[in-house]
Amino acid sequence: MREPLDVVVVGTGMYVAGTILPALLQARRAGRVGRIALATRDGRSFARVAARAAEVGRLVGADAAFERFPAEDREDGRAFEAAIAAAAARRAPTAVVVAAPDHLHHDVAAAALDADLPVLVTKPLASNVAEARALLERCHRRRGYGAVEFHKRFDPANRELRATLARGELGDVLHVHVDFSQRRTIPATVFRRWAERTSPFQYLGVHYADLIHHLTGARPVRVAATGQHGWLRAQGIDAYDAIQATVEWEHAGRRFASTFSTAWVDPEGTTAMSYQAIRVLGTAGRFASDQRQRGVEKVTQAAGAEEVNPHFCRRFLAEDGTREIFAGYGIESIDTFLADAADVLAGRVAPSALEDRRPTFRQALVSTAVVEAVHTSLAAGGAWTAFREDLTPVVA
């Protein structure tokens, strides 16, 4: 039997509580995960996370215990270093999951790589190409493994789109349109402390910048973006309400365009957290996927009307009806990394063998470059922004 993988999670926010912890505790029940350590800046957040862990542990039938860095009554912006060092000192197979604010991704991922631990970073890989490239070079220098948690690659609808494109059923791609928005509670409450250091494109659009690259193999050529301020500034947060971007791509000598409409100020009364859709037009066909309307609607006295996505991360009854399980492409994304990390650490798989099969640091350079180019264009009044050979954006 394979040795369980220890996991250090850096961050205690919404995605940790909603998806990462359920995936880890379920894997622990199956014997694939051992120790779990959580690191955060503010130890006071552990009370909330512990309550959530206990709930999930009860549902799936797993031990919900985890180590805490720092102590619950302390604040320490470098607590992740102590958590990684403690894990490395045990010399047990260990991986790191980075779910900290975007501007901290580089420092945390670098510490994991320096400890020779495989690392999974929630999107984006970093805030800019320079940091992303530095992480990639560090990964190669230490022969480590780094991946980005682009779970939309695992969505069955997007897998269908990829297969359709690969079979040539749409012909040559002409245009891709992405529409993605979320409720205003995200920047105004969940990310309030650091919303000004990200944007709706960096938080939402980056998923589809990666997906377009993954689907087509294309490289971005130039970007132009516009954005609007309004509601968030009225709340004392200097961040964009919405951003629209046009990205021109090139593959095999042909160019196509993609347009993005991103926003994160939807009303709280929306029937789903995310409104998202992707449409692809080709010379031989079109593909449209509304990734909010999955055909499932729930209306309850407690929650009102909800449009449920049963494919991302949902609770289902186990076959024997004695417990619940979490399933969906969000869980699959985390599980895939856990399996890959265990294989890399055991020498069963070389990191290079995963380059064309996973959203590795190398592949994530593209989406990071698009995000930086969008912000560069916005700062330049919407000017076209091109890419140097190393993908660094520069105003054309």
Side-chain angles (χ1 to χ4, degrees), residues 92-93 237 336 386:
I237 301 171
T336 298

Side-chain angles (χ1 to χ4, degrees), residues 3 10 31 93 102 140 167 176 178 205 222 291 295-296 336-337 350 354 372:
E3 186 176 358
V10 181
D102 298 354
H140 286 171
R167 289 191 291 261
V176 180
V178 172
R222 60 178 184 160
Q291 303 192 339
V296 180
T336 298
F337 169 73
L354 299 171
E372 185 177 358

Side-chain angles (χ1 to χ4, degrees), residues 278-300:
I278 182 170
R279 300 192 299 274
V280 181
L281 176 66
T283 56
R286 68 167 62 239
F287 187 104
S289 174
D290 188 323
Q291 303 192 339
R292 169 182 61 102
Q293 293 184 333
R294 304 285 180 147
V296 180
E297 181 185 51
K298 285 175 61 177
V299 182
T300 63

Side-chain angles (χ1 to χ4, degrees), residues 3 22 87 161 168 183 185 192 202 226-227 257 280 294:
E3 186 176 358
L161 173 54
R183 292 175 186 159
T185 189
R192 187 176 186 91
Q202 180 166 313
T226 57
V280 181
R294 304 285 180 147

Side-chain angles (χ1 to χ4, degrees), residues 301-365:
Q301 191 69 34
E306 301 175 90
E307 290 184 273
V308 175
N309 177 1
H311 305 297
F312 173 54
C313 178
R314 298 293 295 182
R315 287 163 44 187
F316 303 98
L317 274 180
E319 290 301 318
D320 62 6
T322 62
R323 59 185 176 87
E324 298 198 23
I325 59 173
F326 286 78
Y329 59 84
I331 299 296
E332 184 181 357
S333 176
I334 304 297
D335 278 348
T336 298
F337 169 73
L338 296 177
D340 289 342
D343 284 343
V344 166
L345 289 168
R348 292 185 289 267
V349 174
S352 59
L354 299 171
E355 278 292 357
D356 295 326
R357 298 162 48 198
R358 303 289 187 256
T360 61
F361 283 6
R362 178 179 60 81
Q363 293 194 22
L365 281 178

Side-chain angles (χ1 to χ4, degrees), residues 92-142:
T94 303
V96 177
V97 177
V98 182
D102 298 354
H103 57 280
L104 302 177
H105 286 185
H106 171 271
D107 288 358
V108 181
L113 292 171
D114 286 347
D116 296 322
L117 305 180
V119 58
L120 178 70
V121 182
T122 55
K123 51 74 189 171
L125 172 56
S127 297
N128 54 66
V129 172
E131 288 187 344
R133 190 166 290 283
L135 285 174
L136 176 61
E137 291 171 355
R138 197 184 220 105
C139 199
H140 286 171
R141 186 169 63 249
R142 301 193 68 89

Side-chain angles (χ1 to χ4, degrees), residues 225-248:
T226 57
Q228 298 78 38
H229 294 97
W231 188 82
L232 284 170
R233 279 188 172 171
Q235 313 309 307
I237 301 171
D238 189 15
Y240 282 97
D241 288 0
I243 292 174
Q244 304 79 43
T246 298
V247 184
E248 191 173 32

